[in-house]
Amino acid sequence: MPGPRWLAALRDEDGRAADPGPASGQPEGLQPEPEIAPQGEPNQLAGRCWPAAGRPSIRGMSTPVLDETPTRSTPATARPYLLGGLAALSVGAAAIHFAVVFEHFNEYVLYGVFFLIISWAQAIWAAVVLWRPSRPWLWLGIAGNAAIVAVYFASRTTGLPFGPDKGHTEPFGALDLVSIVLELALIAGCAALLWRPSLADRPVRRRTGFAAIASLAAFPAAVIAVTTAVMTPGWAGPEGPRGLASGSAMTASATAPGAQTSMGDMGTTDGLPDMRMYGSTAPATAAQVIAAANLIKATDASLARYKNVQAAFAAGYTDVLKTNGEEHLFHSGNNPAYAGLNPQHPSSLVYAIDVPHHAPILLGAMYIENDGTNGPQVGGGLTRWHSHLTVCENGKPTIAGFGLQLRGTCNPATWQDQYTGQMMHVWVVPYTGGPFSDDLSRAATDAAVRAVLDHS
């Protein structure tokens, strides 16, 4: 019949079982004869004095033996450092995606939904990898982030096959590049742990107190610092919080006299802003507001004859330029009547194309000044003019930011980047940004089309 567990665990200095003492019926004071150990050695506990009760005292035993608590210490390993690093990478990428969710919703609902999903997924993944890491969870981290990276490079190289910017490539920016670096590092870290799990069990120097906290927080702190820095407007680039809805914030000042940059129009190419804005930004006076309203009214009346795009072709608007669901028809030839601010003869007509089961919809006009001529700001700050940067790509003059090729050829070796003549849009339908908006995004075009169809 085995005795109590703590009794079985009791060991003497040499590891042999201790003698339990006199039998309960033995007369007190009678000394037992020395016992012989199995090896023929005398039992070293024989003859020891026990307490008066004749039984071992519980108080005399060591606590680790009684509660069977192991006394060995677990060696420090690299596991918390590696898992903490992976979690920090995922949280950093999630923070960047959270920062641009609303701007993507403004551009296209599905874009916003996509960014909202991946933001929460990356945040949740980080929490689980710290709480209960597993091989399937590491594989999920690789697959999910690889999909995000693939979508990103597709949007920068070939353009996405859906959405308002279908087939239109987006420029690279610091904010999105940092996010991609974090995701690629996370993929590499997960792959390393899957390939060699022993990396997590490698012993490291044990630290205590502040040194332990500092060593664990060093890498996450670096990720936080880089992520925070790149979210500032000066670093973010076209994917920044201010730059998504209508393009990135300009980071270079215009150099032409009177030129000013607009808020959130396109980006930069070769260090030059893709778009320049001209004229005063001062609030319009009462007279200027009336003049701006009269310009809209005169333009609307003049465009009535061009509701049918075939009428525009017949009137000589035969040069076609397509971008983001819009089609600009320019008047061919060099008739000076079609230059400048002349509502009777607009320089260009703008139609929405690719409208399902509908003919092209006339949205407004664009007035273009001769090169070197400043457009009249009849409406004060309401009627600012703009110009686009023209570069040489693949031997063709190309509008930067849109990738639109113009007529003619160019030699990249001798070409010097230049700006188009000043131009101004006048929209005669409800349009994002107002009747003089320079927003040529697909989202703005789609919103204008919906407004027309809803009121037709």
Side-chain angles (χ1 to χ4, degrees):
M1 189 78 177
R5 294 182 60 190
W6 58 264
L7 183 60
L10 184 62
R11 300 284 175 182
D12 64 6
E13 291 83 356
D14 294 327
R16 292 185 295 272
D19 182 72
S24 57
Q26 186 173 351
E28 191 171 340
L30 182 61
Q31 299 297 328
E33 295 181 0
E35 295 182 0
I36 304 300
Q39 293 83 357
E41 298 177 0
N43 190 325
Q44 296 180 5
L45 292 180
R48 285 189 179 178
C49 294
W50 297 101
R55 296 185 181 183
S57 171
I58 293 180
R59 295 181 181 179
M61 297 180 182
S62 61
T63 302
V65 174
L66 286 176
D67 58 15
E68 299 180 348
T69 302
T71 57
R72 63 182 181 275
S73 60
T74 303
T77 66
R79 181 180 300 272
Y81 298 95
L82 294 178
L83 296 181
L86 293 178
L89 293 171
S90 191
V91 168
I96 292 176
H97 292 142
F98 272 123
V100 298
V101 163
F102 293 109
E103 284 74 11
H104 278 99
F105 267 115
N106 290 336
E107 186 178 7
Y108 187 49
V109 173
L110 289 182
Y111 289 170
V113 171
F114 173 75
F115 271 80
L116 189 62
I117 291 175
I118 64 175
S119 300
W120 278 112
Q122 289 175 325
I124 294 172
W125 188 91
V128 175
V129 81
L130 289 175
W131 171 55
R132 185 171 293 178
S134 64
R135 291 181 63 86
W137 198 248
L138 294 178
W139 277 115
L140 181 62
I142 292 176
N145 285 278
I148 296 172
V149 172
V151 171
Y152 171 80
F153 280 108
S155 68
R156 265 61 181 178
T157 55
T158 61
L160 297 177
F162 60 89
D165 293 325
K166 178 180 179 180
H168 177 68
T169 59
E170 298 181 38
F172 291 90
L175 187 64
D176 48 282
L177 285 175
V178 168
S179 174
I180 289 300
V181 169
L182 295 177
E183 288 156 354
L184 289 174
L186 189 149
I187 291 172
C190 290
L193 284 179
L194 288 170
W195 174 58
R196 186 169 292 181
S198 60
L199 291 174
D201 296 324
R202 287 193 173 185
V204 296
R205 180 180 178 184
R206 181 180 293 278
R207 294 178 174 87
T208 59
F210 178 78
I213 297 175
S215 60
L216 285 172
F219 185 76
V223 173
I224 293 172
V226 172
T227 303
T228 302
V230 82
M231 284 187 185
T232 60
W235 285 80
E239 284 292 306
R242 296 183 183 178
L244 281 175
S246 58
S248 69
M250 299 248 186
T251 57
S253 300
T255 56
Q260 300 178 13
T261 58
S262 67
M263 292 184 61
D265 290 298
M266 306 178 67
T268 60
T269 301
D270 298 334
L272 296 174
D274 293 341
M275 180 186 288
R276 282 177 174 170
M277 297 298 297
Y278 302 83
S280 172
T281 58
T285 64
Q288 290 172 333
V289 171
I290 294 175
N294 288 335
L295 175 60
I296 298 171
K297 182 178 179 181
T299 302
D300 190 20
S302 176
L303 295 186
R305 51 188 162 156
Y306 301 124
K307 294 290 185 181
N308 189 318
V309 70
Q310 297 301 323
F313 288 137
Y317 291 93
T318 55
D319 292 341
V320 180
L321 200 61
K322 298 180 180 181
T323 175
N324 292 340
E326 291 180 354
E327 185 176 70
H328 288 66
L329 301 183
F330 297 86
H331 196 275
S332 60
N334 297 316
N335 189 337
Y338 291 88
L341 190 60
N342 184 357
Q344 294 304 314
H345 300 292
S347 307
S348 173
L349 308 177
V350 185
Y351 292 83
I353 57 177
D354 299 331
V355 182
H357 312 296
H358 203 286
I361 298 175
L362 182 61
L363 303 179
M366 184 170 69
Y367 297 101
I368 305 174
E369 280 287 2
N370 294 316
D371 291 342
T373 302
N374 290 325
Q377 205 169 357
V378 297
L382 296 174
T383 53
R384 299 182 67 201
W385 294 66
H386 67 273
S387 63
H388 295 277
L389 179 65
T390 306
V391 298
C392 183
E393 291 184 0
N394 301 321
K396 286 281 190 178
T398 305
I399 300 297
F402 289 104
L404 298 175
Q405 292 186 339
L406 306 178
R407 290 182 300 177
T409 60
C410 60
N411 184 353
T414 59
W415 175 268
Q416 291 185 348
D417 293 348
Q418 55 191 323
Y419 285 89
T420 63
Q422 295 183 23
M423 56 191 71
M424 179 176 65
H425 293 99
V426 178
W427 308 104
V428 295
V429 300
Y431 201 87
T432 302
F436 304 104
S437 172
D438 54 28
D439 186 354
L440 297 180
S441 67
R442 184 60 181 263
T445 303
D446 291 344
V449 169
R450 287 194 297 269
V452 172
L453 296 179
D454 289 343
H455 291 85
S456 60

